[in-house]
């Protein structure tokens, strides 16, 4: 799965290339602005902002059903949920408007975009190199101590949530995820606790009134297998056991349902 850390912030491998591209775009345009004036940097900032807002708006439009129940979650952009096509459209629209009025900036703008694309492509290739093998023969256990072999889960699309009771974002997303799991029929969802004992997990579930069938992974084998850099981590895996997408950090209802929908469509 992989990921990239920037100080205390951890980004999934699928989002890091886009963030890197935007940073390069802003950096390149800022460098050019030293000799060409601030207009080129102003374009880059406006285009990047338009891309981010458009990408978020597009995702909201595509997942209105989830956001109707909790409109304020639209602002929780850190939980993920962006539409690449809408983002590209927003970037292109602002660029066309801005550069149409300042044609002298077209060449430096193109140069900035080329540098950003190169950075995105390199990061994308590195992210692809982080692909992990299907679930192996690791031995886990149920809450009651019965053995569990994750490799036996293959055959149906699945969502695996790596969590711990001491993790605040894990606790925030757990009630929502448990509710979604209870309503799924054609996709399996597994909650794999990382590094805790059965008694601690039992107390947490009882105290919060959450109904799930957790899988115990005291040695955090699954975190190592998928190279997860933090908790929570939500993995979307197809019927063959291949990781198709991963989300690091707290996930929104809309993003979770979008990932499940993609699993179904590609099954």
């Amino acid at each position: 799965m992989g990921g990239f850390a920037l100080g205390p912030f951890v980004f999934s491998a699928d989002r890091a290339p886009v963030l890197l591209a935007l940073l390069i775009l802003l950096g390149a345009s800022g460098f050019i602005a030293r000799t060409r004036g601030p207009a080129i940097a102003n374009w880059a900032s406006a285009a990047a902002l338009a891309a981010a807002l458009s990408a978020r708006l597009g995702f909201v439009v595509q997942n209105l059903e989830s956001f109707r129940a909790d409109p304020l979650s639209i602002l929780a952009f850190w939980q993920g949920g962006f539409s690449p096509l809408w983002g590209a459209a927003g970037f292109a629209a602002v660029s066309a408007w801005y550069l149409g009025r300042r044609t002298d900036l077209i060449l430096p703008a193109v140069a900035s975009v080329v540098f950003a694309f190169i950075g995105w492509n390199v990061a994308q290739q590195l992210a692809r190199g982080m692909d992990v093998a299907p679930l192996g023969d690791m031995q886990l256990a149920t809450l009651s101590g019965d053995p569990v072999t994750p490799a036996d889960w293959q055959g149906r699309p699945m969502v695996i949530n790596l969590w711990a009771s001491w993790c605040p974002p894990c606790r925030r997303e757990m009630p929502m995820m448990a509710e979604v799991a209870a309503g799924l029929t054609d996709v399996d969802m597994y909650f794999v606790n990382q590094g805790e004992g059965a008694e601690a997990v039992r107390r947490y579930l009882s105290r919060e009134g959450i109904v799930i069938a957790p899988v115990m992974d005291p040695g955090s084998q699954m975190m190592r297998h998928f190279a997860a850099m933090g908790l929570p981590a939500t993995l979307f895996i197809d019927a063959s056991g291949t990781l198709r997408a991963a989300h690091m950090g707290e996930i929104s209802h809309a993003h979770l349902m979008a990932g499940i929908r993609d699993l179904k469509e590609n099954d």
Side-chain angles (χ1 to χ4, degrees), residues 161 163-164 167-183 189 191 204-205 207-212 250-253 256:
N161 179 249
W163 69 286
C167 162
C170 299
R171 295 197 299 267
R172 286 195 299 267
E173 71 179 12
M174 182 62 73
M176 177 274 293
M177 297 193 76
E179 183 179 352
V180 169
M189 186 176 291
F191 296 90
Y204 165 72
L205 295 178
R207 182 176 68 249
E208 300 298 326
I210 296 173
V211 180
I212 59 172
E250 184 178 356
I251 193 170
S252 67
H253 180 271
L256 176 62

Side-chain angles (χ1 to χ4, degrees), residues 143 193 195-202 216 218:
L143 195 58
N193 180 271
E196 294 187 287
E199 187 55 35
V201 173
R202 192 177 287 110
M216 308 304 298

